[in-house]
Amino acid sequence: MSKGYFGDNRSKLNLDDLYSGLITANHVLNHHAVLDAHSHISVRNPDSNDTFFLADGTAPAVVSSSSDILEFKFEDGSPLDSSVSLPVVSERWIDAELYKRFPGVNCVVHSHSPDVLPFCTAKVPLKPVLPAAGFLGGEAPAWDISSAYSARFFATSGSSDEKHDRLVRSQKLGAAFAIKFSKSSSSSGFVLSSLGESVSSITGSHKDKETGAEPDYAVMLMRGHGFTVAARGIEEAVHMAIYSALNARIQKEALQMNESYFGCTISGSIPEKGGSIKGGKAKAAEEIQFLGAKEAWDAWETERDDGRLERAWKEWERIAERNPLYQNQVKSEN
């Protein structure tokens, strides 16, 4: 777990619990189909101002010991141990730049969830339909990496030298992505920093934070790619990732059910002599119900402050422990 490691009232010094929590988080998110072999979760190093922990090239389901975890630098996303020659996570710059830009972020999840991917390609906004997904706010903002393939971010190397494969595989792309978590760069989403008005029950984050220490948005969709969560701790990040995917699944089913039951209306103009409808648009006869802004705010505040995150974490942790696929040697050694 990450509780007790962050904030002004740190109560844990030994990092074993943090390693164990990171390993369990990999297993929990894999069990919920949030992390595939190419996704990841990382956590800030509470003993350092410029490094974070992330599994090496090992897939989430088979991460099992502290030897599978590497320490990376914010500065350039490279392993702290320069002798490391193993394959490492190619999109670690997502994490490095978020930690660098937002001191209040202690955990990052990057997912290619099949439940969320349709919202990353169809441009249908992902909005909260579940109280447990109130952290989405009005809707989850989206970032298109193609906007970063420009001279602005590749002034020194030239965009032609960068692979356009939609992976955040460089420091410049990571920085372009992290900027979008600030309200000034996006017009929708949930103002996560405002939740810092009280102490987080999970991470111990304190309300007295410097301006800009936390991102304005907890979840960012990535066009044609996946989504990323920036949170205050492991348990919070896992909760947000799981409920982002669950909310997406339910919203998609509700949209399909709504259209099949109520049908849709067609608007547009028909030429006097007949022919096709000009400027025709199809609209659902009835809209599905989303959480309003205050409902989202209050629902997430309840979820966070009533111990619901910890309760869910304990259940998910137990399920992972009982699944023979997942092994956590750090936990078994303590």
Side-chain angles (χ1 to χ4, degrees):
M1 295 179 66
S2 60
K3 184 178 181 181
Y5 284 106
F6 303 107
D8 297 335
N9 301 313
R10 181 173 174 178
S11 60
K12 293 181 179 179
L13 298 178
N14 188 293
L15 295 180
D16 284 349
D17 277 355
L18 192 67
Y19 291 146
S20 177
L22 183 59
I23 292 170
T24 296
N26 273 276
H27 299 163
V28 168
L29 291 173
N30 176 261
H31 177 76
H32 285 268
V34 174
L35 292 189
D36 61 7
H38 308 293
S39 306
H40 67 267
I41 178 173
S42 69
V43 66
R44 181 186 291 271
N45 180 358
D47 291 336
S48 170
N49 292 323
D50 53 13
T51 64
F52 63 98
F53 297 116
L54 171 68
D56 55 20
T58 305
V62 292
V63 173
S64 62
S65 71
S66 57
S67 63
D68 295 326
I69 299 172
L70 296 178
E71 189 172 359
F72 294 87
K73 295 184 288 186
F74 296 170
E75 180 184 3
D76 57 6
S78 64
L80 186 64
D81 182 355
S82 59
S83 66
V84 170
S85 59
L86 297 172
V88 292
V89 175
S90 62
E91 295 192 277
R92 59 193 180 278
W93 285 279
I94 290 174
D95 312 65
E97 292 301 318
L98 282 170
Y99 291 131
K100 184 192 302 182
R101 187 175 184 86
F102 303 108
V105 168
N106 298 316
C107 187
V108 173
V109 175
H110 175 59
S111 169
H112 308 131
S113 166
D115 289 317
V116 179
L117 275 172
F119 293 89
C120 302
T121 56
K123 294 189 177 182
V124 175
L126 178 62
K127 299 182 178 183
V129 293
L130 299 173
F135 54 82
L136 292 173
E139 66 180 67
W143 177 67
D144 191 335
I145 195 171
S146 63
S147 64
Y149 294 145
S150 66
R152 176 184 176 187
F153 294 106
F154 299 101
T156 57
S157 61
S159 60
S160 61
D161 296 331
E162 190 79 11
K163 285 188 177 181
H164 291 194
D165 55 7
R166 291 199 168 267
L167 298 183
V168 183
R169 57 169 64 254
S170 72
Q171 183 178 0
K172 294 182 179 71
L173 286 173
F177 178 58
I179 288 172
K180 288 298 181 180
F181 278 79
S182 294
K183 190 177 181 182
S184 58
S185 299
S186 183
S187 60
S188 60
F190 191 52
V191 183
L192 177 63
S193 58
S194 59
L195 288 179
E197 294 178 357
S198 61
V199 176
S200 168
S201 62
I202 293 298
T203 65
S205 299
H206 196 272
K207 63 181 179 180
D208 298 323
K209 289 185 174 296
E210 59 183 283
T211 302
E214 294 182 348
D216 292 323
Y217 307 108
V219 176
M220 183 70 62
L221 302 184
M222 306 167 80
R223 292 296 184 204
H225 187 167
F227 74 98
T228 295
V229 171
R232 301 184 183 94
I234 291 175
E235 299 87 346
E236 185 176 87
V238 168
H239 179 100
M240 288 178 170
I242 288 174
Y243 276 98
S244 290
L246 182 59
N247 188 93
R249 189 187 318 157
I250 293 174
Q251 182 181 342
K252 183 173 65 174
E253 292 177 359
L255 287 168
Q256 293 171 340
M257 180 184 295
N258 192 67
E259 183 177 344
S260 65
Y261 187 81
F262 292 106
C264 61
T265 58
I266 305 295
S267 61
S269 59
I270 302 176
E272 293 182 2
K273 297 181 179 181
S276 60
I277 300 176
K278 292 184 177 180
K281 293 183 178 180
K283 182 179 180 180
E286 294 289 338
E287 300 291 338
I288 67 172
Q289 293 183 330
F290 298 103
L291 269 64
K294 180 170 174 51
E295 289 177 318
W297 171 285
D298 291 346
W300 175 240
E301 191 174 61
T302 297
E303 200 75 15
R304 182 202 62 197
D305 294 341
D306 285 2
R308 293 170 182 260
L309 273 66
E310 287 183 304
R311 186 158 61 248
W313 170 264
K314 289 178 180 178
E315 179 183 60
W316 296 331
E317 181 181 36
R318 179 62 62 87
I319 292 171
E321 289 174 350
R322 295 297 183 268
N323 190 324
L325 170 64
Y326 306 122
Q327 301 295 320
N328 189 335
Q329 296 175 18
V330 177
K331 188 175 185 66
S332 63
E333 290 170 358
N334 293 303

